Amino acid sequence: MAAALSLTLALGACVQPAPQGAGQGTAAPSPLRVTNNGAPFQMFEGAAARKLADATCAGQGKRLRPSIYDRFDAGTWVYVEGCA
């Protein structure tokens, strides 16, 4: 019994602790809001909004991070993960 306990304790010492806090050293992403050159998009213009969002991120040397939480909000397409 004592041998099993000491083996368990020895194996436990080999495990690295989990990092504390999610996303250490990284800021939360800021959402990207896309309009049709200042005019509101229509809800059915999602493909055009996505192309504009991709181009906006590419212009910054980044890529759009699509999410299941992206949405249409009063004429604006909101990409909650923004560019990365």
Side-chain angles (χ1 to χ4, degrees), residues 29-30 32 53-65 81-84:
S30 58
L32 175 64
D54 283 332
T56 300
C57 290
Q60 299 172 8
K62 299 179 180 180
R63 296 182 63 195
L64 180 66
R65 295 176 54 185
E81 294 291 322
C83 304

Side-chain angles (χ1 to χ4, degrees), residues 10-66:
L11 290 176
C14 295
V15 178
Q16 293 181 344
Q20 300 297 314
Q24 285 182 324
T26 60
S30 58
L32 175 64
R33 299 177 182 277
V34 180
T35 60
N36 194 2
N37 292 321
F41 271 113
Q42 298 296 315
M43 183 177 265
F44 62 86
E45 296 179 299
R50 171 64 187 263
K51 288 180 184 178
L52 183 58
D54 283 332
T56 300
C57 290
Q60 299 172 8
K62 299 179 180 180
R63 296 182 63 195
L64 180 66
R65 295 176 54 185

Side-chain angles (χ1 to χ4, degrees), residues 53-80:
D54 283 332
T56 300
C57 290
Q60 299 172 8
K62 299 179 180 180
R63 296 182 63 195
L64 180 66
R65 295 176 54 185
S67 165
I68 61 170
Y69 301 107
D70 297 342
R71 66 188 178 279
F72 178 77
D73 185 21
T76 302
W77 280 92
V78 181
Y79 297 93
V80 295

